[in-house]
Amino acid sequence: MTHYQYGRYIAGIYRASQKYWKMQLVDTDLRPVDFQILISLRHHDGSSQEDLVHWMFIDKSVVARAVKHLIEGGYVTRKVNEQDRRAYQLFRTEKAIAFDPEMERILNEWEGIILEALPEDEQEHLGDLLKGVFMHTGSTVRRIRQED
Amino acid sequence: MTHYQYGRYIAGIYRASQKYWKMQLVDTDLRPVDFQILISLRHHDGSSQEDLVHWMFIDKSVVARAVKHLIEGGYVTRKVNEQDRRAYQLFRTEKAIAFDPEMERILNEWEGIILEALPEDEQEHLGDLLKGVFMHTGSTVRRIRQED
DNA sequence: TTCAATTAGTTGCAAAAGCAACGAATTGGA
DNA sequence: TCCAATTCGTTGCTTTTGCAACTAATTGAA
């Protein structure tokens, strides 16, 4: 009998975050995935869709459809990468940039909810631990999948 | 610009876990949700579906369908709770119990992948932090939803 | 007791996600 | 140079999830 139920915690926090973001985005034409991608592009403007696939550990078809949706909504533009004409470079539009403060607000409130569960001196740990686990599990599962 | 991207880490770990479990369960008739529910029942045999909804922070329709699937697969039985005839009590069958060692193996391997990302002295923290965050975010999002 | 409000579970329907097959561009070795 | 293998992105299809409306049982207040 294992002591911690990591799967239950992770899945539960994930579902809670999706539900919370959906609530916060209800007045926009953005869905949680779109929001996630906009956040990623804020960190890495000019990324390719493949970059996002690795960055988020998400299926490329989901990215393709979210990007399409973001372009239609006027949040993102893309141009062919002239160094590699298979790939696009994705850029945030003015509309996306104008949405930054609201995005910041939603992120900060969510972070507040996440962190207020923890004693002050533990809060710093969480980000580091999750980041480490994310990077490692992502590459591991990718590797296992390949070996199959 | 926030330093940690909790949303990306959580969602990524979640997707990796789903993919990993799906791989491990490929020779069974169980899906990741079914697996999660079996784990929960191993901890709390006799739970109602509503108990699972809270325990996992998951939609009740998903539980209803997974339970149906588990009953059809012979992993679970249920009987009406005579103290409250709206609710069922869910019980694992012999078949589910026989599956325990395999379940244990999958869980241990997954836990191994999660934890090998972390230095020995941090591993203990992760479970506590996640458990705290899970319990708090779950109840918070539920409360916010209700206030709406 | 009676009946409105709440709760456990189900189901129809729509949205979201994942898989696999595909086309086009690129890479790298013979 | 040529062609097989790989990579980036798209699309059709299926599976999974979530929402909301519903039934049946329960609770509690008048």
Side-chain angles (χ1 to χ4, degrees), chain B residues 86-104:
Chain B
R86 289 170 304 183
Y88 292 106
Q89 288 183 287
L90 306 172
F91 300 100
R92 300 193 302 151
T93 62
E94 285 302 320
K95 180 174 177 183
I97 293 167
F99 188 60
D100 264 357
E102 178 66 359
M103 212 155 89
E104 197 67 44

Side-chain angles (χ1 to χ4, degrees), chain B residues 19 47 52 64 80 92 97 120 141 147:
Chain B
K19 187 166 267 187
S47 291
L52 293 175
V80 170
R92 300 193 302 151
I97 293 167
E120 193 95 16
V141 172
E147 284 167 3

Side-chain angles (χ1 to χ4, degrees), chain B residues 16-144:
Chain B
S17 74
Q18 295 301 103
K19 187 166 267 187
Y20 182 78
W21 289 355
K22 192 175 245 182
M23 255 188 289
Q24 298 295 314
L25 295 169
V26 74
D27 294 328
T28 74
D29 48 354
L30 295 172
R31 303 164 299 153
V33 213
D34 305 324
F35 186 66
Q36 268 291 359
I37 287 178
L38 278 186
I39 295 167
S40 297
L41 289 181
R42 199 170 55 136
H43 288 264
H44 299 278
D45 210 38
S47 291
S48 68
Q49 296 182 200
E50 184 63 19
D51 290 337
L52 293 175
V53 164
H54 278 77
W55 184 248
M56 298 170 63
F57 197 85
I58 195 173
D59 192 83
K60 57 186 181 171
S61 68
V62 175
V63 171
R65 289 181 186 112
V67 166
K68 183 173 178 231
H69 187 222
L70 284 167
I71 292 173
E72 286 167 0
Y75 292 94
V76 163
T77 57
R78 66 180 178 183
K79 65 185 239 295
V80 170
N81 180 338
E82 291 301 336
Q83 270 64 57
D84 180 350
R85 298 183 48 77
R86 289 170 304 183
Y88 292 106
Q89 288 183 287
L90 306 172
F91 300 100
R92 300 193 302 151
T93 62
E94 285 302 320
K95 180 174 177 183
I97 293 167
F99 188 60
D100 264 357
E102 178 66 359
M103 212 155 89
E104 197 67 44
R105 184 191 64 74
I106 295 173
L107 283 177
N108 283 338
E109 282 184 17
W110 175 243
E111 192 169 316
I113 293 175
I114 292 249
L115 292 182
E116 78 188 345
L118 306 178
E120 193 95 16
D121 57 326
E122 301 271 28
Q123 296 185 355
E124 205 172 317
H125 273 63
L126 185 66
D128 286 324
L129 295 183
L130 285 181
K131 188 174 179 181
V133 171
F134 168 73
M135 294 197 303
H136 180 257
T137 53
S139 60
T140 301
V141 172
R142 242 189 305 273
R143 180 168 49 68
I144 294 174

Side-chain angles (χ1 to χ4, degrees), chain A residues 70-126:
Chain A
L70 285 166
I71 292 173
E72 287 168 357
Y75 292 94
V76 163
T77 57
R78 65 180 179 184
K79 65 186 238 294
V80 170
N81 180 339
E82 290 302 335
Q83 270 64 57
D84 180 349
R85 298 183 48 77
R86 288 170 304 182
Y88 293 106
Q89 289 183 286
L90 305 173
F91 300 99
R92 299 193 301 151
T93 63
E94 286 301 321
K95 180 174 177 183
I97 293 167
F99 188 61
D100 264 358
E102 177 66 359
M103 213 155 89
E104 198 67 44
R105 183 190 64 76
I106 295 173
L107 282 178
N108 283 337
E109 281 184 17
W110 175 243
E111 193 168 315
I113 292 174
I114 292 249
L115 293 182
E116 77 186 347
L118 307 176
E120 194 95 16
D121 58 325
E122 300 273 29
Q123 297 185 354
E124 207 171 316
H125 272 63
L126 185 67

Side-chain angles (χ1 to χ4, degrees), chain B residues 2-21:
Chain B
T2 51
H3 182 210
Y4 295 116
Q5 300 175 267
Y6 299 98
R8 182 167 69 91
Y9 307 148
I10 291 288
I13 299 168
Y14 169 78
R15 285 188 284 261
S17 74
Q18 295 301 103
K19 187 166 267 187
Y20 182 78
W21 289 355

